[in-house]
Amino acid sequence: MEKKWVEEKVRGMSLEEKAGQLLMVAFFSWEETARKQFTERLLSIHAGGVFHFSAKQKDLAAFVSDLQKRSALPMLVASDFELGAGWFIPEAVRFQRPMARGYSGSETSEYEIGKVIARQGRSVGTNLTFSPVVDVNTDPLCPDVNIRAYSDRPDRVTELASGYVKGL
């Protein structure tokens, strides 16, 4: 049934609508006028998704709910929850950096962390996280990976990331 629904939707879309589905747009301002303008623009370009940054839980949940109701197709709502939803939602839990969890954690603890992150993300309408980071820390001086990686050992990164993903 789902495949048929998708095929029917795609057949009925204009080229502009299809192109819009490829876009995921980031949103930074919670000022009311800017948020309203952003929402109208996002819907007018038929965007397939939105990436959110810091917001209060109730504001973000209301924004996403309104956006999903007004969108012709379900939207991807993404964030980066490698430290938990608390990285962007003050009322949510913020976990230690992956490097710290890599030294002391387990696949089981990462599974539980993933479950908490998924529940808290869903509570505001987020349905996609760009985590976990599965880089291997091969250069301790690299600022892009360093504390964002579980370990310098591929087997350890795989073990912990596997637990996290299963929890999500």
Side-chain angles (χ1 to χ4, degrees):
M1 185 66 158
E2 292 174 6
K3 182 178 177 184
K4 186 176 181 180
W5 181 86
V6 170
E7 289 170 348
E8 288 175 10
K9 287 290 185 185
V10 170
R11 254 193 316 279
M13 294 170 69
S14 68
L15 182 59
E16 182 178 304
E17 290 169 326
K18 290 175 185 175
Q21 288 298 297
L22 299 173
L23 303 175
M24 178 174 281
V25 184
F27 183 61
F28 299 93
S29 175
W30 284 97
E31 188 274 319
E32 187 175 354
T33 302
R35 185 181 30 93
K36 286 180 179 179
Q37 289 173 341
F38 175 78
T39 299
E40 295 307 317
R41 184 69 179 139
L42 195 66
L43 295 170
S44 75
I45 64 171
H46 313 286
V50 61
F51 186 97
H52 70 79
F53 290 92
S54 293
K56 291 182 179 174
Q57 194 258 353
K58 78 173 196 188
D59 294 337
L60 184 55
F63 169 72
V64 170
S65 177
D66 178 61
L67 199 57
Q68 293 289 23
K69 285 177 189 170
R70 296 177 60 198
S71 179
L73 293 170
M75 295 184 80
L76 289 173
V77 179
S79 195
D80 183 353
F81 291 155
E82 70 185 67
L83 300 185
W87 199 3
F88 292 122
I89 304 166
E91 301 88 346
V93 176
R94 183 174 177 157
F95 294 98
Q96 293 177 311
R97 293 261 179 200
M99 179 185 273
R101 298 188 336 244
Y103 284 115
S104 61
S106 66
E107 185 174 356
T108 303
S109 63
E110 286 301 301
Y111 172 81
E112 294 300 328
I113 288 170
K115 280 179 32 179
V116 169
I117 290 169
R119 286 185 187 128
Q120 291 185 341
R122 277 194 306 266
S123 78
V124 295
T126 302
N127 52 33
L128 175 64
T129 177
F130 293 116
S131 62
V133 173
V134 293
D135 292 339
V136 177
N137 190 17
T138 58
D139 180 358
L141 300 178
C142 177
D144 291 335
V145 176
N146 199 334
I147 59 176
R148 297 179 70 208
Y150 285 118
S151 176
D152 58 358
R153 294 183 11 236
D155 60 323
R156 183 75 171 142
V157 171
T158 302
E159 171 193 6
L160 296 177
S162 175
Y164 183 106
V165 170
K166 288 174 186 172
L168 289 175

